[in-house]
Amino acid sequence: MAKRSNTNNSKHSLSLPFLFLLFLFFPSLCFSSNVTYDGRSLFISGRRRIIISASIHYPRSVPAMWPGLVEAAKEGGVDAIETYVFWNGHEPSPGNYYFEDRFNLVKFAKIVRDAGLYMILRIGPFVAAEWNFGGVPVWLHYVPGTTFRSNDEPFKNHMERFTKYIVSMMKSEKLFASQGGHIILAQIENEYGDIEKVYGDGGKPYAMWAASMALSQDIGVPWIMCQQYDAPDHVINTCNSFYCDQFTPNSPNKPKIWTENWPGWFQTFGATNPHRPPEDIAFSVARFFQKGGTVQNYYMYHGGTNFGRTAGGPFITTSYDYDAPIDEYGLVRQPKWGHLKELHKAIKQCENTLLFGNSKLLTFGPLQEANIYTDHSGGCVAFLANMDEEKDKSIVFQNRAYNVPPWSVSILPDCKNVAFNTAKVKTQTSVVEMIDENLQIPEGWSIFQEKVGIWGKPDFVKNDLIDHINTTKDSTDYLWYTTSFYVKGGEKISNQSLLIIESKGHAAHVFVNGKLQGSGYGNGSESKFNLTTPVTLKPGRNDLALLSMTVGLQNAGPFYEWVGAGPTSVKICGLTSRTLNLSSHEWAYKIGLEGEHLSLFSPYQNGDLNWKTYSQPPNNQPLTWYKVIVDTPTGNDPIGLDMQHMGKGQAWLNGYPIGRYWPRASSPNDKCTSTCNYRGKFFPDKCRTGCGEPTQRWYHVPRSWFHPTGKNTLVIFEETGGDPTKISFAKRQTKHIS
């Protein structure tokens, strides 16, 4: 017994110092037993903390990428990973839940935990996020008595049920900090304060109900509500903006939290590409912590990809790159990533004095100021800010002169030496190249020609033009509207016969007598469009088929679920004796494409009976499905699918949904800049590139989707026509220049 006791004592004498060193050098591994807060900061395990967080949305990448993305964020100096929870991805039909593959929330959360990072879980469950329907399931719109984000009981019942489901899942895995886990904050609702008044007398009661419902979940960590200016006690209201240094919580007992700092912006098909300079991002972050901030989150740190039909908008691109510090493909974007890493390092040097010190404001001119923090142990931190957009300024502080560039902040962790200036970028710049690699096709092409108009039998017939979304319920992008009309014998047909369509959106292709006549589209600013296109008519019967399309559903705004799509007026002009109004004609409708019905994109599709084989595929042929077996690209570089020679459609690899492709070019007359002046407040149109070029040419295909054997099935559905022989893979590579 004595010998066994000595062995145990010896074991303890080795493990305790080891644990002490582990906790000393890896404090984030010691997850909390409680998270509280006061007006200055969060307390995590009784310790005040400054938290720098990074948004990574799990379904916008793939599980094979998650560890690398999280590690790159950690290496970049962040303390936490933030994500929304995507309701419509998890509950595709009432009561049927899905948490596999890209939607495996628990797996993602555990990868974050195992990396030693905290997590901020934004349950919503409305998320906006440029995600289809704002993350709310489309089926919920058709539950009687439901108005989204209102005080109506049906919506609240479903919202509460889903929230409880997610909370229960996290609790069962012991992921909340109160259970020894790493989730330190949770969010309910999202940016509702901006539109609360639009909902009338029910707006505020709904917001208060949402807060109360969240608090009743007893998760043991604080709840937040972003942009919720009237958030009740015990719920922290937070800021979303390009700048939040002037934000003040609605109670002196709540800390200053920035849930969305936008380091870039999203893209829409047919528009130029936005970029936010790293100097300005760093300036905004430094100003936030200078003015008493405690938690700052980059939205997005890695944007990723809107795979399949998950993009919202409408017209949000398949790429959700967001000009983020980690790009869509998982590569760090320099100098943005490195510049922010150095910023984070400087802020962390100041953490103790910032959180425990007293602050004093000094002014040195109309646009120059400093915030000085001093603590009882003699610590001193200074932020010297020059808000002038044009001129350097010399700031004399403690008898020393500091040159501060325009629109910048110098951080002095000891009130003497400048550890970091937001305008001085020392990180080398990375240049990204897409290196084409021709498709290696060991076999020929398989083709399926989609029928124009009704395939099989009509789903229904009606003497009216009906709403597209209410008909498809977003089961597909596509809805056929078909009718016929007669040109009377002897009636003269003008060479200038025109078809005139008015539509609520989003896009349409027009076929007359089986031939494509023209196409019309809205854009990211306006979904509605009018199309006037010449048409070729013949005496007697003429068949008109409109393929109406959605390009992602509305994802935000008051009562957004009621926004419709589809044609509202169809007329023929150019007949000698009349204008033919077809709007109230008898229309036959068909939901979706025959190829979708046959699951031509699926590797489990029943045989090849529907396909015809060609050694070379037909070009410029609308409504065509292409299938080809391709080899896996060599190497380990990320892969993009080059679709610049195609029209518009969707793509799949081995059954995985790459997403919508549309190399729609922006106007060459749009305002683009070869360089971006970081000085002055940023806005999405300030720094644009790509005028006259496709908004998105390459489409991310994750490496994990390829078969190691090299036999991969690529399926393309092309709506208008293109040259599939010019489709290629491209390897994404970076090279560095000083």
Side-chain angles (χ1 to χ4, degrees):
M1 292 294 293
K3 188 174 182 179
R4 182 178 297 173
S5 177
N6 289 339
T7 301
N8 286 344
N9 287 340
S10 174
K11 184 177 181 179
H12 288 154
S13 68
L14 292 173
S15 62
L16 288 175
F18 173 77
L19 289 173
F20 174 77
L21 290 172
L22 182 68
F23 293 171
L24 179 65
F25 291 105
F26 300 97
S28 60
L29 292 174
C30 321
F31 290 124
S32 165
S33 58
N34 70 56
V35 181
T36 58
Y37 61 87
D38 63 9
R40 181 62 190 95
S41 73
L42 297 181
F43 289 87
I44 301 179
S45 294
R47 174 189 169 194
R48 289 193 183 276
R49 289 297 306 271
I50 279 177
I51 298 294
I52 296 170
S53 174
S55 287
I56 300 174
H57 293 163
Y58 52 98
R60 282 177 158 145
S61 55
V62 294
M65 294 175 65
W66 292 344
L69 294 173
V70 171
E71 283 298 327
K74 182 178 180 180
E75 177 64 22
V78 308
D79 308 293
I81 300 297
E82 178 271 353
T83 186
Y84 279 126
V85 177
F86 296 85
W87 186 2
N88 53 13
H90 291 303
E91 194 177 2
S93 60
N96 295 312
Y97 296 101
Y98 180 78
F99 288 88
E100 302 300 321
D101 195 48
R102 293 185 294 113
F103 290 91
N104 193 332
L105 173 59
V106 168
K107 181 175 182 177
F108 178 75
K110 288 182 176 179
I111 287 172
V112 174
R113 178 198 64 189
D114 294 345
L117 297 178
Y118 296 117
M119 190 167 184
I120 299 172
L121 192 66
R122 302 175 76 184
I123 298 175
F126 165 79
V127 299
E130 292 74 54
W131 185 269
N132 195 51
F133 228 41
V136 181
V138 172
W139 56 258
L140 185 53
H141 178 50
Y142 300 98
V143 172
T146 299
T147 299
F148 288 3
R149 309 175 75 196
S150 74
N151 211 33
D152 292 347
E153 292 302 318
F155 180 77
K156 293 195 298 183
N157 289 341
H158 284 281
M159 174 178 167
E160 182 173 14
R161 185 183 69 180
F162 181 74
T163 301
K164 286 182 174 179
Y165 193 96
I166 296 299
V167 167
S168 176
M169 177 180 288
M170 298 298 103
K171 283 184 175 180
S172 68
E173 300 290 340
K174 300 189 184 307
L175 296 178
F176 288 110
S178 56
Q179 302 173 289
H182 64 306
I183 299 175
I184 57 171
L185 292 172
Q187 179 178 304
I188 197 70
E189 246 300 330
N190 189 54
E191 297 179 333
Y192 191 70
D194 294 333
I195 60 171
E196 181 179 297
K197 291 182 179 179
V198 181
Y199 285 83
D201 293 340
K204 187 177 181 66
Y206 163 72
M208 297 304 104
W209 168 85
S212 177
M213 182 270 289
L215 291 169
S216 72
Q217 303 308 307
D218 191 29
I219 61 175
V221 302
W223 285 92
I224 59 176
M225 297 179 81
C226 64
Q227 299 293 92
Q228 191 63 48
Y229 313 107
D230 57 359
D233 292 342
H234 310 301
V235 174
I236 306 168
N237 64 305
T238 69
C239 180
N240 292 354
S241 182
F242 289 112
Y243 307 92
C244 282
D245 49 289
Q246 299 303 310
F247 166 72
T248 302
N250 66 356
S251 166
N253 300 319
K254 299 177 183 180
K256 185 171 178 172
I257 296 178
W258 192 357
T259 33
E260 292 189 15
N261 179 0
W262 307 314
W265 202 242
F266 55 83
Q267 302 164 286
T268 58
F269 285 116
T272 52
N273 295 321
H275 303 277
R276 188 180 181 192
E279 299 95 325
D280 182 65
I281 306 167
F283 173 79
S284 71
V285 175
R287 288 285 290 165
F288 178 71
F289 287 111
Q290 174 182 347
K291 294 299 181 181
T294 184
V295 177
Q296 190 268 166
N297 176 68
Y298 296 105
Y299 183 102
M300 302 292 297
Y301 198 79
H302 164 74
T305 307
N306 293 314
F307 295 112
R309 300 173 54 248
T310 58
F315 296 99
I316 298 296
T317 55
T318 300
S319 171
Y320 198 64
D321 181 85
Y322 222 88
D323 199 34
I326 304 174
D327 75 11
E328 176 184 5
Y329 293 76
L331 304 177
V332 296
R333 174 174 277 115
Q334 299 286 29
K336 186 171 286 189
W337 181 87
H339 191 53
L340 296 178
K341 176 181 179 178
E342 294 305 310
L343 167 67
H344 304 157
K345 180 180 177 181
I347 290 171
K348 287 299 182 177
Q349 288 179 259
C350 306
E351 182 174 17
N352 191 71
T353 302
L354 283 177
L355 293 176
F356 291 95
N358 296 315
S359 175
K360 180 172 64 173
L361 175 65
L362 303 178
T363 58
F364 300 94
L367 296 172
Q368 294 77 40
E369 65 179 26
N371 284 84
I372 315 302
Y373 291 81
T374 55
D375 61 30
H376 296 300
S377 64
C380 183
V381 167
F383 288 78
L384 310 182
N386 177 17
M387 282 80 75
D388 192 300
E389 298 179 16
E390 297 180 358
K391 297 178 181 179
D392 289 29
K393 293 293 181 180
S394 178
I395 294 178
V396 178
F397 170 62
Q398 292 188 350
N399 299 318
R400 295 180 65 178
Y402 297 88
N403 184 68
V404 185
W407 199 255
S408 77
V409 177
S410 289
I411 301 175
L412 288 63
D414 59 359
C415 283
K416 295 178 182 178
N417 300 295
V418 177
F420 183 86
N421 177 269
T422 60
K424 296 180 179 180
V425 179
K426 299 178 181 179
T427 302
Q428 63 184 354
T429 298
S430 62
V431 176
V432 175
E433 294 180 334
M434 299 298 289
I435 310 299
D436 277 346
E437 181 170 299
N438 292 333
L439 298 182
Q440 299 301 311
I441 303 172
E443 305 171 19
W445 293 76
S446 297
I447 307 299
F448 177 84
Q449 187 62 48
E450 193 76 31
K451 295 179 177 66
V452 174
I454 303 299
W455 51 272
K457 296 181 179 179
D459 288 321
F460 56 91
V461 177
K462 195 169 184 180
N463 293 334
D464 196 8
L465 294 168
I466 61 173
D467 183 78
H468 179 129
I469 298 171
N470 285 339
T471 306
T472 65
K473 295 180 172 58
D474 199 41
S475 60
T476 171
D477 280 358
Y478 304 104
L479 176 63
W480 281 107
Y481 294 66
T482 66
T483 192
S484 61
F485 58 93
Y486 287 82
V487 176
K488 300 174 184 177
E491 186 173 17
K492 186 175 180 181
I493 303 173
S494 169
N495 292 331
Q496 302 299 317
S497 296
L498 298 174
L499 176 68
I500 302 172
I501 297 175
E502 297 176 7
S503 176
K504 294 181 288 185
H506 306 156
H509 303 311
V510 177
F511 297 82
V512 175
N513 299 322
K515 302 294 184 181
L516 178 63
Q517 305 288 301
S519 302
Y521 313 103
N523 56 52
S525 300
E526 179 57 71
S527 297
K528 297 178 182 178
F529 67 92
N530 295 333
L531 170 65
T532 300
T533 184
V535 291
T536 301
L537 305 179
K538 63 183 182 181
R541 174 173 168 149
N542 289 266
D543 295 316
L544 173 63
L546 308 179
L547 181 59
S548 176
M549 293 158 287
T550 50
V551 190
L553 300 190
Q554 198 84 16
N555 60 253
F559 305 107
Y560 73 90
E561 72 271 26
W562 301 96
V563 176
T568 57
S569 173
V570 179
K571 297 177 181 178
I572 298 283
C573 297
L575 300 175
T576 53
S577 60
R578 58 185 173 143
T579 294
L580 184 59
N581 190 338
L582 300 174
S583 305
S584 298
H585 265 221
E586 181 181 273
W587 291 86
Y589 292 90
K590 192 68 180 179
I591 298 170
L593 306 171
E594 184 176 11
E596 291 178 306
H597 176 72
L598 295 172
S599 298
L600 295 184
F601 49 81
S602 172
Y604 308 109
Q605 187 237 348
N606 186 20
D608 291 326
L609 299 178
N610 301 298
W611 298 91
K612 293 183 179 179
T613 302
Y614 295 78
S615 58
Q616 287 294 313
N619 294 344
N620 300 314
Q621 184 169 288
L623 303 181
T624 304
W625 292 81
Y626 299 93
K627 182 172 74 169
V628 64
I629 304 300
V630 296
D631 290 342
T632 300
T634 58
N636 297 311
D637 296 309
I639 298 297
L641 186 67
D642 188 347
M643 301 297 281
Q644 69 168 326
H645 297 288
M646 299 299 286
K648 179 180 180 295
Q650 297 182 40
W652 297 261
L653 183 80
N654 296 325
Y656 292 105
I658 298 169
R660 300 183 183 98
Y661 68 85
W662 192 6
R664 184 182 185 183
S666 62
S667 169
N669 298 319
D670 286 346
K671 186 178 180 181
C672 285
T673 57
S674 57
T675 59
C676 183
N677 184 357
Y678 75 88
R679 296 173 292 183
K681 285 198 172 183
F682 181 80
F683 51 93
D685 288 336
K686 182 177 181 180
C687 300
R688 292 268 174 171
T689 61
C691 288
E693 299 175 0
T695 308
Q696 185 174 357
R697 172 179 168 179
W698 292 279
Y699 297 80
H700 182 209
V701 186
R703 274 280 181 182
S704 61
W705 287 2
F706 288 92
H707 293 321
T709 59
K711 296 284 188 178
N712 303 281
T713 303
L714 178 65
V715 175
I716 306 290
F717 172 65
E718 171 57 45
E719 297 169 13
T720 60
D723 187 351
T725 64
K726 293 182 179 178
I727 296 172
S728 65
F729 288 127
K731 296 179 180 179
R732 190 170 180 87
Q733 298 176 349
T734 59
K735 65 178 183 180
H736 298 276
I737 60 175
S738 299

